[in-house]
Amino acid sequence: MITMIYACDENGAIGKDGTLPWRQPTDLQHFKRITLGSTIVMGRKTWDSLPGKLPNRRHIIMTRSSRDDVETSTYEDVIKSSETEEIYIIGGGEIYELFLNEVETIHRTIIHCTIDHPDTFAPPIEEQQFKIVESNFVSKSEKDQFDMTFQKLERI
């Protein structure tokens, strides 16, 4: 099964200048809870934006270049792996778009803000294809910049 997970602003923006455009430790903890012990798939730019390997997760990087520092894979091999394990697509925009038609579940955090001049967006989610099955508003903590809503969507 393929699951997508991301945080976006109210207009679907997920990035600016190669990084997350907000500080949301509560959302990062949510991400960790969901993906811990799983396989995460990302593009090279997302990999480069991380501080290193995230603990207790298998990392697969989608890239056009060979790498010695991390496991790489093709679209076809990720699809094949998803037949026997849950795969989490964690970004960026091009990788979300690439796998959208294969996704069964989406964990989306809406960060209640609007980012000025974002450069990366989540793919548009069609209401005819997915329905929201869970939605939980969370007020910002002392460490968060903004309130947020955690949503779980499933393919119809």
Side-chain angles (χ1 to χ4, degrees):
M1 182 165 91
I2 296 182
T3 299
M4 187 179 290
I5 184 167
Y6 64 88
C8 63
D9 77 355
E10 293 177 346
N11 293 324
I14 61 172
K16 179 177 179 176
D17 300 327
T19 189
L20 294 174
W22 44 68
R23 187 169 141 63
Q24 296 290 122
T26 300
D27 180 57
L28 294 176
Q29 287 300 313
H30 176 73
F31 174 89
K32 181 179 180 179
R33 269 191 313 277
I34 291 171
T35 63
L36 204 59
S38 300
T39 297
I40 54 177
V41 174
M42 69 202 86
R44 189 222 13 109
K45 291 177 191 173
T46 299
W47 167 249
D48 289 344
S49 75
L50 296 178
K53 284 191 172 184
L54 303 176
N56 301 314
R57 282 158 263 203
R58 176 182 171 210
H59 296 67
I60 297 176
I61 312 307
M62 305 283 298
T63 181
R64 293 175 186 92
S65 307
S66 64
R67 308 262 318 221
D68 294 328
D69 59 332
V70 69
E71 182 179 353
T72 61
S73 188
T74 65
Y75 173 83
E76 292 78 14
D77 287 341
V78 171
I79 296 298
K80 185 171 175 96
S81 293
S82 74
E83 295 171 5
T84 58
E85 66 176 308
E86 187 165 13
I87 302 288
Y88 287 89
I89 306 300
I90 70 163
E94 291 178 34
I95 303 301
Y96 288 133
E97 191 71 42
L98 180 65
F99 285 98
L100 183 60
N101 289 332
E102 306 300 329
V103 168
E104 293 297 320
T105 303
I106 299 172
H107 292 276
R108 174 173 65 187
T109 302
I110 298 175
I111 308 297
H112 293 290
C113 68
T114 302
I115 299 303
D116 290 331
H117 311 292
D119 54 29
T120 310
F121 292 86
I125 305 301
E126 301 294 331
E127 290 181 19
Q128 312 89 297
Q129 294 180 329
F130 291 91
K131 66 178 177 180
I132 297 171
V133 296
E134 293 176 22
S135 186
N136 182 28
F137 176 84
V138 177
S139 297
K140 67 181 181 175
S141 73
E142 288 182 12
K143 296 180 181 181
D144 295 317
Q145 286 182 290
F146 306 102
D147 295 337
M148 65 208 95
T149 299
F150 297 126
Q151 295 180 329
K152 182 177 180 182
L153 297 88
E154 292 182 353
R155 186 172 294 278
I156 297 173

